[in-house]
Amino acid sequence: MPLTPFHFSPGLLTKVFGPRSFWLTSFIAANVLIDVEVLYYLSRDEPPLHRYLHTYLGGSAAGLLAGLLMWCIVMIIVRWMPAGSRWKTRLNQTPKTRLLNQSLLAGLIGGISHVFLDSLMHDDMHPFWPFATGNTLAGVISVPALHIGLGLLGLFSLILWLLLREP
Ligand SMILES: [Zn+2]
């Protein structure tokens, strides 16, 4: 969907109740990357807007790519951080391969959840391409209900995150 921020809600919720090691940035990057496809076809006025990245196969690949890119970015940034920074210390205490796996996993969850949520709305999607075409889930929940639900989920998750996170 072009309203990408609605996709961040499940990620925020996972950040609040899931493991501390959940890479919310990679989750978000995956969602943004997948919707670049929609923006691209929208700008060219070439429907259908939801194509390869809006399938479980393409979305997973985009999610893993986002996870890899975000890990690379964090590895570069952490080199420039001052030696005493807590963030740098915490990252340096964790093996780089484990950090990579965490980032890939968050990206993958972002990609799969993106395709699932979008498949509830868009009948131009083929989530199970290339194994099956069509999208039987489209329309099972009304678009306003989905947006309100995800918006509220995101809002409550954000408030909980701000209240519960360790200083
Ligand atoms: Zn989308």
Side-chain angles (χ1 to χ4, degrees):
M1 68 170 104
L3 295 161
T4 313
F6 282 106
H7 284 285
F8 302 161
S9 299
L12 275 171
L13 194 70
T14 310
K15 187 73 186 168
V16 174
F17 293 108
R20 195 191 159 102
S21 57
F22 180 70
W23 282 48
L24 183 61
T25 44
S26 303
F27 178 95
I28 289 175
N31 280 288
V32 172
L33 183 64
I34 290 174
D35 269 350
V36 167
E37 176 176 60
V38 175
L39 288 179
Y40 176 77
Y41 291 114
L42 202 60
S43 68
R44 295 167 63 100
D45 202 14
E46 278 179 20
L49 303 178
H50 302 89
R51 301 193 191 191
Y52 303 106
L53 296 186
H54 283 78
T55 63
Y56 284 108
L57 190 68
S60 300
L64 290 173
L65 181 66
L68 179 65
L69 287 175
M70 197 49 73
W71 177 79
C72 291
I73 290 169
V74 166
M75 287 302 112
I76 291 168
I77 291 175
V78 82
R79 281 172 187 264
W80 294 338
M81 297 287 288
S85 99
R86 264 196 298 175
W87 193 59
K88 183 171 185 147
T89 311
R90 191 152 62 88
L91 282 179
N92 281 340
Q93 282 169 350
T94 315
K96 284 189 172 55
T97 48
R98 193 193 298 173
L99 292 171
L100 175 61
N101 286 336
Q102 289 170 352
S103 184
L104 289 175
L105 181 65
L108 188 64
I109 295 172
I112 291 172
S113 69
H114 187 109
V115 173
F116 172 71
L117 288 174
D118 269 7
S119 74
L120 299 176
M121 281 195 292
H122 304 295
D123 56 13
D124 65 342
M125 279 176 63
H126 303 283
F128 295 102
W129 176 89
F131 309 106
T133 54
N135 178 19
T136 49
L137 281 181
V140 289
I141 177 168
S142 80
V143 173
L146 190 64
H147 279 164
I148 291 169
L150 286 174
L152 287 176
L153 182 70
L155 188 66
F156 283 122
S157 303
L158 193 63
I159 292 169
L160 280 174
W161 184 37
L162 292 172
L163 291 175
L164 296 176
R165 74 189 176 132
E166 290 169 36

